[in-house]
Amino acid sequence: MNKIALITGGVRRLGKDISISLSEIGYDLIVTYNKSSKADIDSFKKAVKTKVDLVKSDVSKVSDIKKLFKHINKNYKSLNLLVNNAGIFRHYDFFEITEKDFDDFINTNLKGTFFCAQFGAEFMLKTKSENPQIINLASLGGIQNWTGYIPYSVSKAGVIKLTQQLAKRLAPDILVNSISPGTIVIENDKNETVNFNEMKKYPVKKFGEARDITSLINFLATENKFITGHNFIVDGGKTL
């Protein structure tokens, strides 16, 4: 029987690559989506090699997360991996940010990660899942000071601290780590949020690719028995 992975926001962009990569190493998938089009969903289904259960869920709403895990409790006997990938990323000038904007970032990027982890960990422990792990997608913005992305950066800094707190609280039963990517260019995507002028600031003189993240997730999912509470910076040396 294949292991089970839950990936939030796993139908498009980096989430899609994460889902496909985990499928290729034998994981059956539970994948959430929110605003993905029918074309996105159809393309995703064709690319996945193992069983996939698609669930519409807005992780910014705890009521949706509860429904998601009610579905999981009803239909699954274990959960080996939770990848908290769902998130939003937009540029705002500090003086343009509204209360709704701020709440959107915190609710989706941080609160959603928190409650998916809470319900996920509860299910993992209850079902005595084999080698359970949680991987949170943070960001270089949670480490560096991106003044054009203040709500985003604050939410991702929270994800890094949350990862450390969860790793300590859930040890020794569940391993919890986060990944902070630099700029990642997604194949066959418009990459509308990528500023290619920033590439010269990277010591390796290039941006990352999806495989730079998926290979790390695959390693943790298949090999990790000891690493917890760590934030992996995958940035081509940008923080240097």
Side-chain angles (χ1 to χ4, degrees), residues 129-149:
S129 300
E130 181 185 351
N131 191 33
Q133 296 191 61
I134 297 172
I135 301 173
N136 299 322
L137 267 293
S139 169
L140 212 58
I143 300 165
Q144 297 186 318
N145 297 307
W146 297 356
T147 55
Y149 300 86

Side-chain angles (χ1 to χ4, degrees), residues 25-43:
I25 63 170
Y27 275 80
D28 287 338
L29 309 177
I30 307 164
V31 176
T32 76
Y33 68 97
N34 185 23
K35 297 179 180 179
S36 299
S37 67
K38 184 179 184 301
D40 289 331
I41 292 170
D42 289 342
S43 172

